Amino acid sequence: GILQRADIISLSLGGEADPRIEIGGPSVTAVEDALEAGVIVVAAAGNQGINSTDVSTPASIQRVIAVGATVRAGSVWVDSSKGAEEINGEIRDDPHKKPEVSAPGKDIISTNDPSFSVPYASSSGTSVSTVFVAGTLALILQKHGEIIDEYESKNGELAMIDMIKDSLVESMSDNNHDTRGGYGLLNATSWSMKIQNSSS
């Protein structure tokens, strides 16, 4: 087949954490291959709420950006999954604690099947939130592509992804990590500025 050269992969799988992640299934292997190739992966944290054992797989993979959901007021949505402090016996450290970021995910109105009388519908979940983060990142890559490409050529694919995640964490007002809300609420303007500053 023809190689599809994606810059971002957005995954809204949202299932329960996979306790067999250390064995690795097809989705885990595919995501790890994508990361090694310098593709940034954004994935839904899952909708299992406070009683979840971890964010869903493959959001649980270290360099993936796991996205939690918030309500309109900015607080964490009740069903947004909780990230574990460790995975496979290793403590997660910054900027890879899960989830990394939250975005609006409750009663979000979007397009629906155009054959319906009203071609719009509202939905809730971390899958909805993931779209906001992936869309923001696409605009950042469009604006700062040269900076990011130069960083990648000097430091390698995984270091570039770490820089993007470091910039994301630095862009949020709350430096503390919450196991459901992440490092804070998505701030597109601040994230873009932090990426720009990474070149200096």
Side-chain angles (χ1 to χ4, degrees):
I2 298 171
L3 180 65
Q4 302 294 315
R5 180 62 191 142
D7 294 313
I8 302 166
I9 295 175
S10 177
L11 298 171
S12 295
L13 307 179
E16 177 58 285
D18 184 352
R20 299 163 302 154
I21 186 172
E22 55 195 326
I23 299 168
S27 65
V28 171
T29 302
V31 166
E32 289 173 342
D33 288 347
L35 293 167
E36 290 281 346
V39 179
I40 304 153
V41 181
V42 184
N47 307 326
Q48 305 298 319
I50 192 99
N51 295 319
S52 54
T53 56
D54 195 6
V55 295
S56 64
T57 303
S60 56
I61 295 171
Q62 178 172 310
R63 285 188 168 85
V64 171
I65 298 172
V67 184
T70 63
V71 300
R72 190 173 297 274
S75 58
V76 176
W77 177 55
V78 65
D79 289 333
S80 195
S81 289
K82 179 180 71 174
E85 292 186 12
E86 62 178 62
I87 187 166
N88 300 335
E90 292 187 18
I91 299 288
R92 287 181 168 137
D93 55 7
D94 298 324
H96 306 296
K97 293 177 182 174
K98 302 292 177 177
E100 284 84 349
V101 61
S102 293
K106 174 82 166 73
D107 297 329
I108 304 299
I109 297 172
S110 186
T111 53
N112 200 356
D113 190 329
S115 66
F116 293 162
S117 58
V118 179
Y120 302 98
S122 73
S123 59
S124 300
T126 59
S127 295
V128 179
S129 309
T130 300
V131 177
F132 285 102
V133 177
T136 297
L137 187 54
L139 292 171
I140 287 171
L141 293 184
Q142 183 178 29
K143 183 172 184 177
H144 301 303
E146 287 183 19
I147 292 170
I148 294 165
D149 288 347
E150 186 176 338
Y151 191 96
E152 183 176 7
S153 66
K154 284 182 180 174
N155 302 286
E157 290 80 5
L158 295 179
M160 176 272 292
I161 293 171
D162 287 347
M163 180 273 285
I164 286 173
K165 288 189 70 175
D166 279 328
S167 299
L168 173 63
V169 171
E170 290 167 12
S171 74
M172 292 177 277
S173 55
D174 186 3
N175 290 326
N176 297 319
H177 183 268
D178 179 78
T179 56
R180 293 182 62 232
Y183 295 97
L185 190 60
L186 176 67
N187 183 330
T189 305
S190 178
W191 192 6
S192 178
M193 288 172 59
K194 296 294 182 183
I195 294 279
Q196 186 171 346
N197 293 344
S198 71
S199 65
S200 55

